[in-house]
Every structure is written in C-alpha cells, then in structure tokens.
Amino acid sequence: MLKSIHAALAMSVITLTAFGASSAFAAPLKVVASFTVIADFAKNVGGDRIDVTTIVGPDGDAHVYEPSPADAVAMAKADIVLVNGLHFEGFLQRLVDASATKASIITLTKGVTTIDFKPEFADADAAEGAGTGGGKTVTDPHAFQSIANARIYVKNIAEAFCAADSEGCVSYQTNAAAYTKKLDAVEGEVKAAIASIPESKRVVITSHDAFGYFEHAYGLTFLAPQGISTDSEPSAADVAKLVTQVKQDKAAAIFVENITNPRLIEQIASETGIKVGGTLYSDALSQPDGPAATYIDMMHNNIRQIKGAILGS
C-alpha cells in the first residue's frame, strides 16, 4: 500500500513537472503593437501563440497620442514591441524611455521603399521629426496604405516572432503565408475597383496626407489640407490654396477620416460644392463592430466608399 502511494506521488510530481514545463513552453509571447493596423497583422501571424496589447486603439490618432501609465506597464512587460517607425508614432521614444523596456523594438517599415516629398502646404513639413521648415523633403510614414508594403510588415513580424520563439516558427510562417494570400486577393479587388473609375475622376480630398502610398500604388490622386501629421492645424491660406486647387483639378469626391475632426472637410465641401462622400479609415481601424475592424476590412471599406462616392454605386 505504502509503495503504491509513493508511486502515485512520484507520478504526480512527474506529471506536474511536465505540466509546468508545458505551461512555460505554451506561455504566449507578450507583444505590444503601437497601433491597430499593426496589432491586426500581429494577430494574423501570431495566432494563439501571442498575447497582443495595442497602444493607440481603434479610431485613435498615433500622431498626437499621449501615452498612459498603463502603456508604460505594458511596454515594460513586453517580449516584443512592433512599431511602424518613420516618425509615425511621435510618442514612441518617450514611452520606451519611461517604461525602461527590455523588449526587442521591431520597426516594420524595414525594407519598404519610402515616399519622400516636399510638402505642398505650409504646415505639412512640421510633421514630427520628419523634417523642418523651408520646404525640405519629408518622408511619408503611412507605408501600410499600400498592400504590397503590408506584405513586408507581415514578413518582418513573422521573422521577429521566429527569432523570439523558434518552436513556433513554422506556425508563424504558415500563418503569414496564408494571410499574405488574403492580402493578394484584396489587392486584386482594389486594382479592379480603381480601374473601373474614369481617369478624369480619380482626384479625391481627405483630411491629411495619409494616402500617399495608396496613391502611388493604385493610381488615385489625394489632396489634403493637412500634411503627413495631424499635429498642427492648416492655416487659412493653406485651406484657400487647397480650395482653389480642388476647383482647378475638379476633385470627384471628398472624405472625412475616422481619426480627425470633420469640421475642416465640411468647410472645404461647402466652399467647393462637393458632397462629403463618407469616412475613410487612415491611421487606425474602427471599433470591432465597425466597418474597418481589420486591415482587410479597412481596404474594402475605403475602396467601396471611394468608388461609391465617385460613381454613385
């Protein structure tokens, strides 16, 4: 009897030890994503092997976001921090310093061919860290608005997860490949939708210069009163200049963005006689129950809104 009890206890210890090792192995990677688009990419690659915390949430503006103490705690506990880079997250360095995080900071725009330009309107070259006055060249940080670049983000995420969790690497690579196929399909839909719009009607207005990569990839022209950052208001002269340009270029549609105050767009719509065509999602996804809860949903929503406003369908 005594021997059987000892044997049972020994087996229990072995089982518990094995369970503990298994639990430790199965503990998800603690991942912090700077904003919602990156969080969505991370979830598609990581699946149930990761636990994601998002700093700038749905409909949030990363350009002007002020981090909270909870954000610093999340950063301090993270294994990996995924960021856009290119000065998109104006708060990033302050948060890294405040949290004293030991996490790997992964810049997902690594490998992207960036778009550099001279700001057309006065405030545009005031984007955080992207350039100074005097019409100097600035770098557009919104690389994720091109689906080809989204594939690069996904590849960089998979590589980062493999480096941190080699046991899960095959899973990450498999997930990334499956998600990339979905991105390929969406890109085909976007190209087809743009092709259905007459070239003379491919000029639209948005709140700030968030769609440069979309423009470059797919052949629409976007005009905006604000530059690549939303951290400063355009001057009256900038707005007047844009209104004149819109009348000359015969813009086909005007849109508000989910992250910005619609007041300025409504003013421009009133002065140009162009009806507001809906909401485009630029720097953040929607709430989970909204029309742009994922990156793929965002692309579907934006092209549907653009095509619908221009062609009336």
Side-chain angles (χ1 to χ4, degrees), residues 92-107:
L92 181 61
Q93 193 56 53
R94 284 179 289 135
L95 185 55
V96 168
D97 293 344
S99 67
T101 185
K102 299 295 191 292
S104 299
I105 312 294
I106 309 298
T107 301

Side-chain angles (χ1 to χ4, degrees), residues 57-274:
D59 297 318
D61 184 352
H63 295 298
V64 296
Y65 182 77
E66 288 298 327
S68 69
D71 295 332
V73 171
M75 287 279 280
K77 293 179 178 178
D79 298 311
I80 294 177
V81 176
L82 303 175
V83 303
N84 187 82
L86 303 179
H87 305 287
F88 180 77
E89 303 97 342
F91 61 86
L92 181 61
Q93 193 56 53
R94 284 179 289 135
L95 185 55
V96 168
D97 293 344
S99 67
T101 185
K102 299 295 191 292
S104 299
I105 312 294
I106 309 298
T107 301
L108 298 181
T109 46
K110 179 185 177 183
V112 165
T113 300
T114 57
I115 293 175
D116 302 316
F117 63 98
K118 288 189 176 181
E120 187 167 357
F121 299 108
D123 88 300
D125 58 0
E128 291 184 51
T132 55
K136 290 186 179 180
T137 299
V138 297
T139 297
D140 186 344
H142 304 88
F144 51 88
Q145 284 293 346
S146 154
I147 297 172
N149 288 339
R151 289 193 284 267
I152 295 174
Y153 282 53
V154 169
K155 177 177 176 288
N156 288 337
I157 290 170
E159 289 178 355
F161 288 173
C162 281
D165 172 23
S166 60
E167 294 290 335
C169 190
V170 171
S171 173
Y172 300 137
Q173 290 172 337
T174 301
N175 291 345
Y179 183 62
T180 296
K181 285 186 177 180
K182 293 180 181 178
L183 292 176
D184 292 343
V186 175
E187 187 164 47
E189 294 171 27
V190 169
K191 288 179 177 178
I194 299 296
S196 72
I197 300 171
E199 289 189 17
S200 61
K201 293 187 175 182
R202 294 183 189 176
V203 178
V204 298
I205 306 163
T206 57
S207 302
H208 85 297
D209 277 326
F211 295 96
Y213 290 88
F214 191 102
E215 173 178 320
H216 184 74
Y218 308 120
L220 282 177
T221 296
F222 288 83
L223 305 176
Q226 284 182 290
I228 59 173
S229 177
T230 57
D231 65 345
S232 61
E233 287 288 326
S235 67
D238 284 343
V239 175
K241 183 178 178 182
L242 177 62
V243 168
T244 299
Q245 184 176 345
V246 167
K247 290 176 179 177
Q248 290 173 345
D249 290 345
K250 296 182 173 59
I254 185 167
F255 299 93
V256 296
E257 292 175 33
N258 66 315
I259 66 163
T260 58
N261 188 319
R263 177 183 52 79
L264 184 57
I265 287 298
E266 289 166 354
Q267 175 191 340
I268 294 169
S270 175
E271 292 186 24
T272 59
I274 303 173

